[in-house]
Amino acid sequence: MGWWRALVVVVLVLPAAGCRSDAERADRAREEIFAAAKSLPGVENLQVTTKAVKGGIAVDADVVLRPAEGRTAADAKALRAVLTRPEGVHGVSLTLLVRRGTTEHDGRWYDGTAGLPAFDGQVGLWGHVIDTGKYQRVVAMRQSTTRFLVTAMRWDDAGSRPAASAAYRDMVAAGTAAGLRTEDLDLTVRPTERFELGSNGTAALSDPFLAASERLAAFGVVRSLSASSGPAAPHLRIRVYPVSPLTEAQRAAMRETLSAARLLGPDLQAVEGSGAGRPL
């Protein structure tokens, strides 16, 4: 009976020891991150949790960052390097609040995606848009099942607002410079409350589409306008929200603008109002 009792003790104790070892490794990773983060530039607040998962250690970080001028992407990359440094780190989820002057910008990498190689390019694009200083808020988000999303917004101080088309082209160029395909991005600019322009998982918007969208948004009867592209047909979408229901003459003028840009056709959905809307 003695040997049987000893065997039972071994079977019961060993798994418990293994669990403690996993927890200890996660705790050590957290301690290592905090120790290294003390020397990071721009970090105002850092909250980190670590836990043992299948394949290693998962890191979840919530960080407030105030980078030096032009250093948003560089400081965020330095932070990510610290978060991924401990041995056994399997994935990093990151919520990052960037404070620049009086503006705040938030980036969220869910599902461990901040630990993937694409992070450098993604934060390079997001950081570039923030560092232009043209926007009140720049939001970035990445989930394992979605494209990388960047939305840039500003609607005060009309004198410093970026032109929508120019701002969109700059965002596309910054993404390309960071090694990102436009087809892998959801890019949106909202320089005013009246105008939203963006592409969602498609090639960059064409110059004729950008120019026509700008002209439609400038119509005095337009309260707001959204112009975008998407992967599902019809690929181009324009939605006009008028101050009051459009007259037939106003609708004809808008159709003429689209026709002059050679946009009218089955690949364009242009509607007035919300929901199903009314075709222009």
Side-chain angles (χ1 to χ4, degrees):
M1 291 295 290
W3 67 267
W4 183 84
R5 288 175 181 161
L7 178 61
V8 171
V9 170
V10 170
V11 171
L12 293 177
V13 169
L14 284 181
C19 290
R20 284 197 299 271
S21 180
D22 288 343
E24 288 169 358
R25 284 195 293 270
D27 288 343
R28 283 198 297 270
R30 183 174 179 272
E31 292 168 2
E32 183 179 337
I33 288 170
F34 272 110
K38 292 178 181 178
S39 62
L40 286 176
V43 174
E44 291 191 341
N45 185 271
L46 173 68
Q47 298 179 44
V48 177
T49 59
T50 56
K51 65 179 180 179
V53 296
K54 184 178 180 181
I57 298 167
V59 176
D60 195 330
D62 196 326
V63 185
V64 177
L65 187 68
R66 191 181 291 275
E69 188 77 20
R71 291 277 307 174
T72 299
D75 288 356
K77 290 176 185 178
L79 169 66
R80 197 283 294 264
V82 165
L83 296 174
T84 57
R85 186 177 301 161
E87 182 179 357
V89 169
H90 182 65
V92 176
S93 299
L94 175 62
T95 298
L96 186 57
L97 178 66
V98 170
R99 289 176 173 158
R100 185 184 187 279
T102 59
T103 64
E104 293 188 344
H105 315 274
D106 51 294
R108 300 174 187 271
W109 282 262
Y110 296 104
D111 308 324
T113 52
L116 299 176
F119 176 86
D120 281 355
Q122 293 164 358
V123 83
L125 167 59
W126 183 56
H128 166 81
V129 180
I130 292 172
D131 288 340
T132 64
K134 296 178 180 178
Y135 302 98
Q136 285 182 316
R137 190 172 179 223
V138 184
V139 175
M141 187 183 75
R142 178 72 170 95
Q143 290 178 281
S144 59
T145 57
T146 62
R147 294 179 293 270
F148 183 60
L149 173 151
V150 181
T151 300
M153 296 167 278
R154 184 180 191 106
W155 40 69
D156 70 342
D157 187 9
S160 65
R161 288 174 182 160
S165 294
Y168 172 78
R169 291 190 189 99
D170 176 71
M171 197 182 290
V172 170
T176 301
L180 304 174
R181 297 171 66 248
T182 309
E183 291 86 347
D184 296 328
L185 303 170
D186 286 354
L187 303 176
T188 304
V189 292
R190 295 176 185 165
T192 76
E193 290 180 293
R194 298 185 62 243
F195 193 16
E196 175 180 301
L197 185 63
S199 56
N200 304 289
T202 68
L205 298 173
S206 69
D207 286 344
F209 182 81
L210 293 173
S213 300
E214 293 268 17
R215 292 191 189 101
L216 291 179
F219 275 48
V221 295
V222 173
R223 175 170 53 85
S224 63
L225 181 143
S226 172
S228 64
S229 64
H235 297 98
L236 301 176
R237 298 118 188 223
I238 293 176
R239 188 173 292 275
V240 176
Y241 299 91
V243 176
S244 58
L246 297 174
T247 66
E248 191 51 45
Q250 292 165 341
R251 300 165 66 80
M254 291 185 176
R255 287 195 299 271
E256 176 57 31
T257 297
L258 297 171
S259 178
R262 299 185 177 181
L263 294 172
L264 287 180
D267 205 34
L268 172 69
Q269 180 188 60
V271 298
E272 170 192 354
S274 58
R278 180 184 177 188
L280 287 180

